[in-house]
Amino acid sequence: MAFLISFTVSFPTGYLLNRFIVFPGSTLKGRVQLFRYFLLVVVCIGLNYVFIKLFVEQFHFYPTVAKIFTTIIVVSFSYLTQKQFTFKVEAVKSNESA
């Protein structure tokens, strides 16, 4: 239940902050950004689960250490994916001929 409550607050807040503050120059339409952001959030939730399980059960890390490593990996992946995919800036086509 806590996950659902936090998701209903963090999802729209995260989307709006990313769209208007972190990546304001994106040239994609808002609905495309929103759909891509949703997909990325779902992937990041899955990555969190997989990495924590992997680090704790397979590599025998302490859960706190596993969470730290997982957070670093998932945040890095999330930022790069948002920059290159979710909120990307398309190159402006130039009509100039040399």
Side-chain angles (χ1 to χ4, degrees):
M1 190 61 164
F3 172 77
L4 293 176
I5 293 170
S6 68
F7 184 80
T8 60
V9 173
S10 66
F11 180 81
T13 303
Y15 171 73
L16 293 172
L17 288 172
N18 277 302
R19 180 172 182 192
F20 294 113
I21 296 176
V22 181
F23 304 107
S26 177
T27 53
L28 298 174
K29 293 183 179 186
R31 68 176 182 266
V32 173
Q33 291 174 344
L34 182 62
F35 178 72
R36 289 180 178 189
Y37 184 77
F38 176 76
L39 287 178
L40 179 61
V41 167
V42 170
V43 168
C44 286
I45 290 168
L47 286 174
N48 261 302
Y49 177 78
V50 168
F51 278 120
I52 288 176
K53 200 154 182 58
L54 176 75
F55 289 144
V56 171
E57 293 181 6
Q58 298 299 317
F59 298 146
H60 306 292
F61 288 5
Y62 288 108
T64 304
V65 174
K67 180 59 179 162
I68 291 168
F69 282 129
T70 298
T71 299
I72 291 168
I73 293 168
V74 173
V75 166
S76 299
F77 170 78
S78 176
Y79 176 79
L80 293 173
T81 305
Q82 287 184 64
K83 183 177 180 182
Q84 300 298 323
F85 176 70
T86 305
F87 298 102
K88 74 178 182 177
V89 177
E90 294 177 344
V92 178
K93 295 178 183 176
S94 176
N95 291 333
E96 297 177 22
S97 55

